[in-house]
Amino acid sequence: MRTRILLFILLTLALYSCNKDTEVLIPSAGPNSFMKETYPLNSASKSLMEGVYQVGSGSDFFGDHVILKWNRTSLSIACSNGKYFVMEVGHLDSVIFVQGYWRNGYTDDTGLASLVIAKEEGGTTILTGNGNQKIILRGAFGLESGLPDQPLVLNYLRPFSDKVKKSNFYILAHRSGGRTSDRLPASENSIEMINYTEKFGSTGIEVDVRLSVDGIPFIYHDPDINIRLTKKGPLAGPIENYTWAQLSTFVRLIHGEKIPTLEDALTFVVDSTLLRFVYLDMKGNPGTMEKVIPIQKRILERAKNVGRDLIVVVGIPSSTVLNDLMNYPDYQTIPSLCELTVDDVHQVNSMVWAPRWTLGTQNDLVQQMHNEGRLAVCWTIDPISWIQDYIENGLFDGLLTNFPYVVAYYHYIQE
Amino acid sequence: MIKKYIILILIIFFGVFSGYSQKVDSLIVKRNHYSFTIGGGWTHYINSLEIGKKDARINFAGISLKFFWEPEHRLSLGLETGFYQIYKVKINDYMNVTGQAGMSAIPLLLTVRMRIVDHFHLSVGAGLAMMFNKVSGMGQNINSTILSLSNYQFSGSYIYPLHKHWLVGGEFKVLDFGKADDWIYSVQAICTIRL
Amino acid sequence: MRKVLFILLFVFSLSGFVFSQNQCIQDTFDIANHSMRFPHQYKTWGFQIGAGLLMVKPPMDLLENAIQAPLVNIHMTFGLPWKFSLEGDVTTLLVSNQFSLGPRLGFNWKNFSFNVGYDIAFVYGQLRQFGFDNNTKVWIHYPNISLGYKLKKMAFTLKAEVVTLASVSQRCGENEVVHTNNFFNGFTGALYLEQRLWKDHVFIIGFKDSYEKFYWPTWMLFTTFNRYYHIPELSFTWIL
């Protein structure tokens, strides 16, 4: 009997130890990848590659169509079912090599992908701009860290429609580009995540703003220091009890990054990214607003000086924050994003109205905002079918999401 | 005369022993008991810190308090609390100031204990814990209280009856404080009064 | 005379020592007649009810918004003819509630028992969040098997369930924001230890691991987390 009971206890402990969250390792071709032997494509060539592709082999896995869109550093391929590719591209002679990984954003599925555009299947056309070759990407994808062994063929179908090209739609990524819980290569609300998120097709970000006890705004979501977001260290409890120096010295985000100050994060957005929209979600205590607005002004000035068309708005998620803003002189001139009612939008003259997505597309109110010269975006929409519905049937100027590649797919595939 | 004394001593011995034998019979206890146990001893933090790991002190003294309802069979049902210092980390070279950060906890657990063989028990408990994070000597003192909602303990104990009401023994226990996923184990001497 | 008295006293005291451990009344207790998770055949038309607490250790991903508190559980069994029985279960966290009911068909062999069952559960949840009333209605199928082994006063039961969602509907105000039907949601494995606590009342210690995508107490996170998790539960149940 003793043995049986001990077995019961041991089994219990063993099963408890299974609760550790898994990490998703991004597969890589490794440091000896031949991609470093290739030459980068110029802007004109990149532009020729973009568009809607029909999936030949591999459609069971990636859907019937994908979109190819270049970002600042790499080529993004977005699928209809939540899968996406992050690919490096280079050429040798007239052959274009496309190599990277795919990932299902809603699960932990991932694998390597390797594609080639042959000289006679679009390589020459893309590189020279001459000829009328049909672009075909041929290659394979793998599962987990296995070598790519499942055939994948992408056939160029059409360029992005004029509607898409003319639109100023914002693909807004949550938590500076992606949540820690989605097991991405960088921690949420970090400069590293801001640097990465364009690979998902994001054109804007939302960041969570808090205030240290000595008045430094920084970006971090939860009210406390916890092991969900940070490496386990000696500091714990409410994060806004600590000075910025303490947080900077003794707290590291889950992938080892420092918590960034708001000013550092926004400076990085201006100097090192092509992001066009930053939504400052004010999580902090009353008094945060007066520290954030001067930073917002400095960053907008910095962006203007380098010719960047960047929107940085302070978020108004509650009446407390609304009152906080209204205590600021000339508050109606401050670019803000109001999550409350249309009346509240008018009261503080918000640049953007941002209702919760579960309230519906509300096309009449969105149209009213447009008529008043305001933007409307909604937060935080994640289910694929709803993203599709809001893009096809809604009038929003942007969607905030945890899955920007899904928004990218349904936006760029519009005819 | 000596024989009479020997017989008398034997009578007293067997009489007393037979009386005690009914009290210490571990298989059939005749009625409900309530017990209060205090324990104290060594605690050891299974050091899972990723920052300050090398500078952490992880051995401390800890105490536990338990109240059990002990019905007539093998199982007992009770509440357990205690105080455990989990770790203390010395923070050096911070703006030339030496500081210290520490975590301690007071659990409040619903506990089920089972007698496996005479005097030997296994128990499992689950419940709440208040965790206290104290940072000092870094320009300001910060005390944070954190509510941890998912906490567990597993323990084995040996309890020997000295008297009808008094028992002593030892206990080995493992505690998990879920908020920070901090695990400690503890070896404690325990003293029980059973009514 | 005094010698006789001494001898009698000696024998009496000795007999007390020798027989003291067998003074108990013959105990006819059989755990199979009083247990609830052990998959035996219940007495026809016999009814049992137990109350308990479920302590859950949710995965880190769900800690951001999930409500953490012990769940209150009421479990019932009802004996039917021909080796059948009916089991009902109510589990509540106030904002999330599951009601399940299903038949069992049981078999005994020596100290082993085995049953197969099929539960149908309805989940109703309601939570005011971001200023709006959110609610959910979910139908879940739980085909299950249990294997038990009993000693005289103790029973061990292993139970496995397959979890299939028949329908999930989640509303925010007037808008239905989730509507999905018929998908495989995962499975669960559980181990229960049943033992006497007081008189013939049995206490159950249970450990269950749910490997599921949709974990019903955290229904409010379904739109944003759609991944399989191991979710351990520790349960204490007292058969009333």
Side-chain angles (χ1 to χ4, degrees), chain A residues 154-172:
Chain A
L154 308 178
N155 301 298
Y156 184 83
L157 200 60
R158 62 174 174 84
F160 296 138
S161 66
D162 287 342
K163 178 185 174 185
V164 168
K165 285 177 181 170
K166 286 177 186 168
S167 84
N168 198 25
F169 187 79
Y170 297 102
I171 301 168
L172 302 176

Side-chain angles (χ1 to χ4, degrees), chain A residues 144-207:
Chain A
E144 302 303 327
S145 55
L147 289 172
D149 57 359
Q150 321 237 358
L152 177 63
V153 177
L154 308 178
N155 301 298
Y156 184 83
L157 200 60
R158 62 174 174 84
F160 296 138
S161 66
D162 287 342
K163 178 185 174 185
V164 168
K165 285 177 181 170
K166 286 177 186 168
S167 84
N168 198 25
F169 187 79
Y170 297 102
I171 301 168
L172 302 176
H174 203 200
R175 310 271 172 90
S176 86
R179 292 177 301 184
T180 292
S181 52
D182 287 319
R183 300 164 190 179
L184 301 170
S187 307
E188 69 180 49
N189 284 316
S190 68
I191 286 177
E192 288 75 2
M193 192 71 246
I194 295 172
N195 190 32
Y196 204 87
T197 192
E198 288 168 279
K199 295 178 191 296
F200 304 141
S202 315
T203 59
I205 54 172
E206 176 259 17
V207 298

Side-chain angles (χ1 to χ4, degrees), chain B residues 94-108:
Chain B
Y94 172 72
M95 294 170 71
N96 300 320
V97 177
T98 299
Q100 184 165 272
M103 183 76 89
S104 56
I106 296 177
L108 181 61

Side-chain angles (χ1 to χ4, degrees), chain A residues 372-400:
Chain A
E372 293 171 5
R374 305 179 206 277
L375 299 172
V377 300
C378 77
W379 59 277
T380 301
I381 183 165
D382 288 339
I384 293 175
S385 59
W386 287 105
I387 289 172
Q388 180 180 6
D389 182 58
Y390 274 49
I391 289 173
E392 291 176 356
N393 303 313
L395 298 173
F396 284 114
D397 302 289
L399 301 180
L400 175 60

